[in-house]
Amino acid sequence: MGVVRKQSKGLAVIRSILALLVVAWAVFLIYWGIVTSLKPPAETFTISGISVPVIQFRPTLENWKTELSTRESRFTLTNSIIVAVFATAVAMLLGVPAGYALARFQFRRMKNRDLTVWFLSQRVLPPVVVVIPFFLLMRALKLLDTQLALILLNATFTLPFAVVISRQAFQELPVELEEAAAVDGCSDFAAFVRIAFPLAAPTLVAVAAICVAFTWNEFLFALSLTSLKAKTFPVYLAGAEDTRGVQFWFMATRAMLALGPPTILALLIQRYIVRGLTFGAVKG
Amino acid sequence: MGLKSGRIKYPFILPSMIWVLAFTIFPLIYSFGLSFFRVRLGRPATFVGLNNFARIFSDYKLGNSLRVTLMYVAVTVSIQLALGILIALLFHQEMKGKSIFRALLILPIFCTPVAVGYLGLTIFYEEGGPLNSILMSLFGWKIPWLSSPFWAWVAVLLLDIWQWTPFCFLVILAGLQSLPEEIYDAAYIDSSSEWEIFRKITFPMVQPVVVIVLLLRLIESFKIFDVIYSLTGGGPGTATEVYSLYTYRTGLKFFDFGYASALGYVLLAMVMVVVNLFFRRVRQVYE
């Protein structure tokens, strides 16, 4: 990209330094989390500044071992995984066909564009507005403190991602392949399953990853609707007694356990993130 | 657009429409109803008409949370956007290791907000936390991060800016990279000032992208809850008690469901006003 033509050597160096500073700032919190989780508890406050491992202290995996052998962390991690996987499955199962219908067929009474915007409009709704009716509803249905309740709600609030982004993925596929299949006597459904779906698969995997990450990070519903059995990891993180003190080592280890999975997913689907998070409004 | 028969279009789209109706419209109607009642756990609901809404006007804690929220939204979104644009311009050229930098800059966006708040607790820890220990060794003073109302607010802002500036950067960079290069070829013949080219060409052309980023950040910022819950818990006092947190406490800590529902509707109304300012633009995008 030759956008800047005349760039002097000095300017290039300044730019590189600035870029490095920006990156250092962006990863600082994560770096701090990792480093603190590797510190022996006794040395938490004796090491000053940014605490470079190996140079300033000998890193240990003790905190991770302790944390992962705690019954409650294992249990809440499992809950988080179950809720994220099933909520994503429901969102994709409902959302991908809807996205396909919006991409390939004309709707008359409500135009395709308005339907798409209607699906999107849920993301506008602040969760705190609906958390009280959901609480009363789940209580009436005896679903408080169940994974099912969280799966239902998270599926609902990640559905717009599935619908809108898969719509765009299908729109970008050439329709001719499906038309040719139709001429050969292939039903619409078979054309979707055999032709469109596999071709759009890479984008759909990225959408699923975004749904998993959002469900994993979700906090308000999990906090309000669970107490013991269905508690997710973020709620455990927020509520654990010892995090209120100064036990930096456990806090950091737990924080890293919480943000590890979604950030790893983010790295895997990098190419799709701009499109995914802007609901296809900007192509990255 | 369009396959001919289209027999599958309704079976394909109706399930998700019904699902959305069931899980968003129904609770909204339900809570709209609740907002006219005095509802408390274990007691029968009594109809109170517009009392809950009338209470809003005399609720000083609500006034506070409203002020905190609007300040927060205005400050954080404008800083994120400004920094996002600057960083995007910085990265919009050839640079060694650019793809690795970009990948690293994505990370904050996906960090679990509650976990960010907890890491914040350690970063901003006043006695010997990393920030204060650096300040102490450099300048000999420290900042009362979480015990002073003002600095607690700054701490929340810093974390939020940390987490969401990369999002603004990433999307705006994508916008910049989609601009056609030919325009610049011509521009560089006519003018040599980079600032002029930015002001007259680059900015007007990425402006639609900036508007989308602005809208998305506005919507998400009104929802802020997690980071504040874990970093300050709304404190000290009520210095950082944002609207969502106040509503949550009213409803699910003090079980005043009716009033909390009314509060929820006020928040929804505010967000709707913001979104409606952008509505035509959003519709155009999905043409």
Side-chain angles (χ1 to χ4, degrees), chain A residues 162-173:
Chain A
V163 174
V164 177
I165 308 165
S166 62
R167 166 184 177 263
Q168 204 187 36
F170 289 124
Q171 259 175 350
E172 283 166 10
L173 299 178

Side-chain angles (χ1 to χ4, degrees), chain B residues 191-208:
Chain B
S191 158
S192 58
S193 148
E194 277 207 47
W195 166 244
E196 206 173 328
I197 288 172
F198 171 76
R199 199 167 52 90
K200 292 208 178 127
I201 300 173
T202 312
F203 192 75
M205 289 203 346
V206 287
Q207 196 226 15

Side-chain angles (χ1 to χ4, degrees), chain B:
Chain B
M1 192 188 293
L3 289 171
K4 292 213 180 66
S5 68
R7 225 175 306 151
I8 59 166
K9 70 179 180 182
Y10 291 112
F12 265 35
I13 204 166
L14 281 177
S16 53
M17 291 184 73
I18 294 165
W19 183 283
V20 169
L21 282 173
F23 282 96
T24 61
I25 309 294
F26 179 68
L28 278 177
I29 295 170
Y30 188 33
S31 83
F32 189 67
L34 278 178
S35 64
F36 297 101
F37 284 87
R38 182 170 176 79
V39 194
R40 284 183 179 269
L41 266 194
R43 271 180 248 164
T46 45
F47 184 78
V48 292
L50 288 170
N51 263 10
N52 285 324
F53 289 97
R55 216 174 121 189
I56 284 171
F57 292 99
S58 56
D59 184 347
Y60 73 95
K61 283 184 86 175
L62 174 124
N64 171 66
S65 70
L66 211 55
R67 215 189 58 240
V68 171
T69 308
L70 291 176
M71 281 272 272
Y72 157 82
V73 170
V75 174
T76 192
V77 172
S78 43
I79 294 180
Q80 284 167 15
L81 215 55
L83 282 178
I85 292 172
L86 285 177
I87 300 172
L89 286 171
L90 174 67
F91 276 80
H92 182 48
Q93 44 219 299
E94 284 190 65
M95 189 186 282
K96 266 189 202 136
K98 188 170 156 184
S99 58
I100 297 170
F101 285 179
R102 191 174 164 277
L104 289 172
L105 279 168
I106 288 172
L107 296 177
I109 304 172
F110 279 75
C111 285
T112 316
V114 181
V116 171
Y118 267 86
L119 285 176
L121 270 183
T122 67
I123 294 265
F124 296 120
Y125 196 71
E126 284 169 27
E127 303 300 327
L131 274 186
N132 270 357
S133 74
I134 290 172
L135 286 175
M136 275 303 272
S137 59
L138 286 181
F139 308 108
W141 47 261
K142 55 191 179 186
I143 290 174
W145 288 110
L146 299 174
S147 52
S148 127
F150 173 74
W151 288 107
W153 209 72
V154 173
V156 169
L157 283 178
L158 282 176
L159 284 188
D160 201 70
I161 290 165
W162 175 81
Q163 182 157 32
W164 292 107
T165 300
F167 168 74
C168 301
F169 150 76
L170 200 64
V171 179
I172 293 166
L173 182 65
L176 285 173
Q177 284 176 340
S178 67
L179 300 182
E181 263 192 64
E182 296 76 40
I183 292 178
Y184 288 99
D185 290 330
Y188 274 98
I189 296 170
D190 290 343
S191 158
S192 58
S193 148
E194 277 207 47
W195 166 244
E196 206 173 328
I197 288 172
F198 171 76
R199 199 167 52 90
K200 292 208 178 127
I201 300 173
T202 312
F203 192 75
M205 289 203 346
V206 287
Q207 196 226 15
V209 173
V210 175
V211 170
I212 287 163
V213 175
L214 174 66
L215 175 66
L216 289 171
R217 283 314 306 147
L218 281 175
I219 291 172
E220 289 300 315
S221 296
F222 273 105
K223 297 181 188 171
I224 177 95
F225 179 83
D226 311 12
V227 173
I228 292 183
Y229 183 94
S230 57
L231 182 67
T232 65
T238 53
T240 56
E241 189 174 60
V242 282
Y243 201 91
S244 291
L245 192 58
Y246 180 59
T247 310
Y248 166 80
R249 283 200 174 132
T250 307
L252 292 162
K253 280 279 160 294
F254 305 119
F255 298 111
D256 194 346
F257 296 124
Y259 186 47
S261 299
L263 289 178
Y265 261 87
V266 174
L267 179 62
L268 187 59
M270 286 194 299
V271 180
M272 291 313 287
V273 169
V274 170
V275 171
N276 270 311
L277 293 175
F278 294 87
F279 185 68
R280 260 207 306 184
R281 188 145 236 155
V282 174
R283 262 179 96 215
Q284 277 165 5
V285 170
Y286 295 98
E287 200 58 83

Side-chain angles (χ1 to χ4, degrees), chain A residues 49-96:
Chain A
I50 58 164
S51 334
V52 186
V54 186
I55 298 172
Q56 284 184 289
F57 68 96
R58 186 130 46 97
T60 164
L61 283 175
E62 246 357 271
N63 302 322
W64 285 81
K65 281 188 201 143
T66 319
E67 193 53 47
L68 284 172
S69 62
T70 315
R71 209 189 73 86
E72 212 183 356
S73 354
R74 287 221 292 241
F75 170 67
T76 48
L77 275 175
T78 317
N79 276 341
S80 273
I81 294 169
I82 292 172
V83 171
V85 168
F86 281 94
T88 302
V90 173
M92 296 299 284
L93 216 59
L94 289 165
V96 173

Side-chain angles (χ1 to χ4, degrees), chain A residues 246-260:
Chain A
V246 288
Q247 295 184 317
F248 281 19
W249 50 97
F250 284 138
M251 296 168 75
T253 313
R254 275 186 207 136
M256 294 326 284
L257 273 172
L259 59 78

